[in-house]
Amino acid sequence: MQRDHMVRSNLLSQKARIVVIGAGGNGSAMLAALATLNHAIRELGHPGLEVTAIDGDTVSPSNVGRQGFWPCDVGQFKTDVLIQRINMGFGTQWRSLPYMFDGNNVDVYRTDMVISCVDSRRARSLIVKSFKQGYYMDLGNNAATGQVVLGEFGKSHGRDNRLPHAVDLFPEIADTTLPEDDQPSCSMAEALEKQNLFINRMIAGWASELLWQMFRNGKLSFHGNFVNLTSGRVAPIPVDEEVWSRMGYAPVQKAA
């Protein structure tokens, strides 16, 4: 039966500490959306967001236009470019960590939410092994389809009634025994053969809407979306144990 997920109270009353892992297609769009969200909720009286972006990649010519970068950014670290731009424009003091996440270079115990914008099974596997608490939002996509899923790390006392995260629902996305498909593109034209120009912005847009509902309404009736740009369809993932069961996920029950 579908129900509402009530957002953790600390996220609504205190400054929310968010770590964005990956600053490419989805990550650059997500950081721009977080800057807008931060400004909006502060205007409504919320303490705002404290964001850290981590990614060791630099801007390449093929990233310009398709991701959130300009020609003058080529060669610079992606997180440095994006965070400096946001800090200058909005007066924030967000942090850039221009290196790859390894499980130790972020304070996993002081993070309220992780937003994963990675494109490898190894990276997702490392994320779910490293964080034990808080929310976990994962953005993923192929050429013209994608999904965003918001869930929670850890387990509740008694019956596990937490929101399942993306790896719970789709374990294959963190299965390191399967081959990766993360070969870089040498040009924007080559990149566009692999991905629709606006798929990242569409995925980030729905992720941003989920966050807006969390902070604005304090509850969610759905915690993810499937997006298909070819068919023009968007299908929600409701907060519903029966739906999760049909997807192959069954909450773990602890002994009394």
Side-chain angles (χ1 to χ4, degrees), residues 41-57:
I41 63 176
R42 283 175 59 87
E43 289 291 303
L44 295 171
H46 189 280
L49 311 178
E50 180 182 302
V51 176
T52 298
I54 180 167
D55 190 333
D57 200 9

Side-chain angles (χ1 to χ4, degrees), residues 141-153:
N141 66 277
N142 294 313
T145 62
Q147 72 285 327
V148 53
V149 181
L150 175 70
E152 296 173 282
F153 294 114

Side-chain angles (χ1 to χ4, degrees), residues 21-33:
I21 303 178
N26 288 328
S28 59
M30 200 66 228
L31 283 166

Side-chain angles (χ1 to χ4, degrees), residues 24 27 32 35 44 103 113-114 118 123 148 157 159 175 182 190 250 253:
L44 295 171
M113 180 182 295
V114 176
V118 299
V148 53
H157 295 294
R159 189 175 185 276
D175 186 347
D182 58 354
E190 182 180 347
Q253 296 194 25

Side-chain angles (χ1 to χ4, degrees), residues 8 131-134 152-156 160 162-163 165:
R8 297 183 183 189
F131 292 89
K132 305 302 180 184
Q133 59 188 15
E152 296 173 282
F153 294 114
K155 290 181 171 61
S156 304
D160 179 8
R162 67 179 172 87
L163 281 181
H165 53 61

Side-chain angles (χ1 to χ4, degrees), residues 151-230:
E152 296 173 282
F153 294 114
K155 290 181 171 61
S156 304
H157 295 294
R159 189 175 185 276
D160 179 8
N161 61 358
R162 67 179 172 87
L163 281 181
H165 53 61
V167 177
D168 290 324
L169 298 177
F170 313 109
E172 66 277 7
I173 68 174
D175 186 347
T176 56
T177 66
L178 298 176
E180 300 281 9
D181 183 21
D182 58 354
Q183 294 300 310
S185 302
C186 297
S187 68
M188 185 176 181
E190 182 180 347
L192 291 174
E193 290 296 323
K194 299 178 181 179
Q195 286 192 5
N196 183 290
L197 178 60
F198 294 109
I199 183 65
N200 298 125
R201 296 178 192 179
M202 294 297 292
I203 299 297
W206 280 105
S208 304
E209 175 60 23
L210 276 173
L211 295 179
W212 171 243
Q213 291 198 24
M214 288 182 72
F215 286 99
R216 183 64 171 140
N217 302 323
K219 62 182 180 179
L220 295 171
S221 60
F222 66 98
H223 67 117
N225 294 92
F226 296 105
V227 179
N228 188 320
L229 297 189
T230 301

Side-chain angles (χ1 to χ4, degrees), residues 33-44 48-49 90 92 94:
L34 287 172
T36 300
L37 177 67
N38 178 63
H39 181 74
I41 63 176
R42 283 175 59 87
E43 289 291 303
L44 295 171
L49 311 178
F90 284 93
T92 50
W94 293 1

